């Protein structure tokens, strides 16, 4: 009985080993082959003969499992790569949108600033009052002293408010450098005391006033101190 029960028992046990891990099956197969090498042992040979098909069957299943695992890993890797690429594209879109939004906001602020500056910029009348007021603003920015009254008083005395007035009879005219403009400035004086930012045309009302005021500030402290020919 024991001789016939052993192979049956071995088959039953081998059937269960199909559920084992690949490492366990490999060990079982190695043991079975070792038994087949023992001379004169028909029982060991029978066991080896019985074990080998099971071992190979399980090994084939294990290979399928390995292939399935590798395929799954490849699939996961592809998915991760696609997810990473999608995230990078989304991040780039978000960055581009943020940059475009910031640019639009900067342009809006620049326009608002320019608009406010334009609104604050005074508009001067194109007459004696406007010329004096514009000259006073330039003089203030450049640190040149003088008042509306001082400028107006000297302009009326020198040219009666005519920006194209030219003195053709005084000593300056005799010397070839006639007095010109609202405050009757000679060309060498105008060039020496010209105020940056104003016209270089001696007949320009604002340029003439500011150059004369700059000269008077240097010679007399202020145009307000001038009460006669200067």
């Amino acid at each position: 009985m024991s001789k016939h029960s052993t192979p049956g028992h071995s088959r039953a046990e081998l059937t269960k080993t199909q559920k084992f891990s690949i490492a366990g099956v490999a060990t079982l197969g190695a043991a079975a082959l070792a038994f087949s090498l023992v001379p004169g042992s028909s029982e060991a040979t029978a066991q080896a003969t019985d074990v080998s098909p099971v071992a190979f069957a399980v090994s084939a299943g294990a290979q399928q499992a390995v292939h399935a695992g590798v395929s799954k890993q490849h699939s996961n890797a592809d998915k991760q790569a696609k997810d990473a690429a999608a995230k990078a594209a989304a991040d780039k879109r978000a960055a581009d949108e943020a940059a475009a939004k910031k640019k639009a906001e900067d342009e809006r602020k620049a326009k608002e600033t320019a608009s406010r500056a334009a609104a604050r910029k005074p508009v001067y009348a194109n007459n004696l009052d406007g010329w004096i007021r514009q000259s006073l603003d330039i003089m203030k920015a450049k640190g040149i002293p003088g008042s509306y009254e001082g400028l107006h008083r000297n302009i009326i005395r020198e040219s009666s408010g005519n920006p194209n007035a030219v003195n053709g009879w005084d000593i300056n005219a005799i010397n070839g450098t006639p007095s010109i403009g609202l405050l009757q400035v000679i060309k060498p004086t105008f060039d020496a005391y010209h105020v940056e930012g104003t016209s270089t045309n001696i007949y320009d009302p604002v340029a003439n006033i500011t150059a004369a005021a700059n000269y008077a500030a240097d010679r007399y402290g202020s145009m307000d101190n001038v009460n006669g020919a200067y």
Side-chain angles (χ1 to χ4, degrees):
M1 292 293 291
S2 62
K3 183 176 181 179
H4 293 288
S5 62
T6 301
H9 179 71
S10 177
R11 289 190 188 93
E13 290 298 315
L14 286 172
T15 301
K16 293 179 180 179
T17 60
Q18 294 178 25
K19 301 178 181 179
F20 290 171
S21 65
I22 297 172
V25 172
T27 303
L28 182 59
L33 291 174
F35 280 125
S36 68
L37 296 176
V38 179
S41 176
S42 59
E43 188 174 342
T45 302
Q47 289 180 355
T49 302
D50 289 342
V51 169
S52 296
V54 176
F56 284 123
V58 174
S59 297
Q63 289 178 1
Q64 292 178 357
V66 170
H67 286 311
V70 171
S71 297
K72 185 176 181 180
Q73 289 178 355
H74 287 170
S75 178
N76 289 340
D78 289 343
K79 184 177 183 304
Q80 290 175 356
K82 289 178 181 178
D83 290 345
K87 184 177 184 303
D91 290 344
K92 185 178 184 304
R93 284 195 301 271
D96 291 344
E97 290 174 359
K101 184 177 180 180
K102 184 178 184 303
K103 181 180 179 181
E105 181 65 15
D106 290 344
E107 289 177 351
R108 183 186 66 78
K109 289 181 179 179
K111 288 180 180 178
E112 288 181 354
T113 300
S115 178
R116 287 194 296 268
R120 288 195 301 267
K121 186 176 180 180
V123 178
Y124 304 100
N126 188 28
N127 55 31
L128 182 58
D129 178 73
W131 300 331
I132 293 175
R133 293 186 185 282
Q134 185 174 356
S135 296
L136 284 170
D137 285 343
I138 296 172
M139 290 163 58
K140 181 179 180 181
K142 300 294 185 179
I144 301 171
S147 67
Y148 186 98
E149 189 278 330
L151 293 175
H152 186 270
R153 171 168 45 83
N154 282 284
I155 288 171
I156 296 302
R157 186 189 66 250
E158 294 291 337
S159 66
S160 300
N162 178 10
N164 296 313
V166 176
N167 185 328
W169 53 267
D170 67 2
I171 187 61
N172 290 320
I174 293 172
N175 292 331
T177 55
S179 301
I180 298 171
L182 289 175
L183 281 169
Q184 293 293 281
V185 184
I186 61 175
K187 190 68 167 60
T189 300
F190 177 83
D191 291 340
Y193 289 92
H194 173 260
V195 177
E196 184 180 357
T198 63
S199 172
T200 56
N201 181 359
I202 192 172
Y203 287 94
D204 179 85
V206 175
N208 189 282
I209 293 172
T210 52
N214 195 25
Y215 166 75
D218 184 47
R219 291 291 299 273
Y220 308 104
S222 170
M223 183 64 75
D224 293 353
N225 298 331
V226 177
N227 296 299
Y230 63 106

